[in-house]
Amino acid sequence: KYLDGCPKLDIPGRKFPVEVFYTITPEKDYVEAALCATVQVHLEEPEGDILVFLTGQEEIENAETLLAEHVQDLPPEAGPVS
């Protein structure tokens, strides 16, 4: 009936707990705000992965550059960022 009769695939996997963080008000530069939040989570939360959704290649490359700049300012006790 839906999707032109395509078969339903059930792919087993593991589920991990996810926390979602939002800003109270819209940000002018949401990429910069996302990276600031990423660094804050890295510093204040237990070890784990951080996933940031961005809308395109240019934003991803910009975020990579900005994150490299933020990481340089972190103290050694902040631990590795990869």
Side-chain angles (χ1 to χ4, degrees), residues 3-62:
L3 303 174
D4 294 325
C6 293
K8 176 187 171 206
L9 300 176
D10 186 20
I11 302 170
R14 292 184 277 176
K15 295 181 181 176
F16 297 94
V18 174
E19 289 184 65
V20 180
F21 296 90
Y22 296 95
T23 59
I24 296 171
T25 59
E27 298 289 335
K28 287 183 180 182
D29 185 348
Y30 71 91
V31 173
E32 177 69 29
L35 292 178
C36 287
T38 299
V39 171
Q40 183 178 359
V41 167
H42 174 71
L43 293 172
E44 297 177 5
E45 297 293 325
E47 184 176 335
D49 296 322
I50 301 171
L51 180 60
V52 177
F53 288 97
L54 300 171
T55 61
Q57 185 68 31
E58 184 177 341
E59 287 180 345
I60 293 168
E61 291 171 359
N62 184 26

